[in-house]
Amino acid sequence: MRHRKDGGKLGRTSSHRKAMLRNLVTSLLDEEQIRTTDAKAKELRRVADRMITLGKRGDLHARRQALAVIRSREVTAKVFDELAERYRERPGGYTRVLKIGSRVGDAAPMSVVELVDRSGSTS
């Protein structure tokens, strides 16, 4: 039984999975929209929402926790300054996953992950 076991393995070792999610969340918070597979997108959503929540807390401990995940000091500064202010009144759900079809090479289901209310958004 796998009761209360959250998070998918994504066919990777734990170190590879952790590194991949750190890279994905850094790219998402920097670009505000990325394309990836459905499974990765669903795992990424959890980590990205947690980083924005840390940014909203805004204290030194939260900044150090975010720096342990986000691979760029510039992106961390963006989370704590720009994104924290943008989502100040929002109680959660900072990301949106939109399915966009299948990848050409291996027919993997693909998704776009984006921040809601992002700058330059048409929705």
Side-chain angles (χ1 to χ4, degrees), residues 11-23:
R12 289 163 171 78
T13 62
S14 59
S15 57
H16 185 182
R17 185 169 53 248
K18 180 180 176 184
M20 180 195 63
L21 286 173
R22 288 179 65 190
N23 286 329

Side-chain angles (χ1 to χ4, degrees), residues 54-110:
L54 287 173
K56 285 171 63 174
R57 255 182 39 206
D59 58 350
L60 179 61
H61 183 56
R63 186 175 292 266
R64 286 179 174 162
Q65 286 177 314
L67 278 167
V69 176
I70 300 171
R71 292 188 180 266
S72 165
R73 289 190 180 274
E74 293 79 21
V75 174
T76 304
K78 177 181 179 181
V79 169
F80 278 76
D81 299 334
E82 182 184 329
L83 298 179
E85 192 57 39
R86 186 188 309 171
Y87 297 117
R88 180 65 55 200
E89 300 301 318
R90 191 178 188 96
Y94 313 110
T95 54
R96 173 185 300 130
V97 176
L98 302 168
K99 296 178 188 280
I100 58 172
S102 299
R103 186 162 51 197
V104 174
D106 60 356
M110 298 295 288

Side-chain angles (χ1 to χ4, degrees), residues 28-45:
L28 174 64
L29 295 173
D30 188 26
E31 304 293 329
E32 300 191 10
Q33 180 181 25
I34 60 171
R35 289 182 47 183
T36 186
T37 63
D38 283 352
K40 289 180 198 171
K42 290 174 182 177
E43 290 298 315
L44 170 61
R45 182 175 48 191

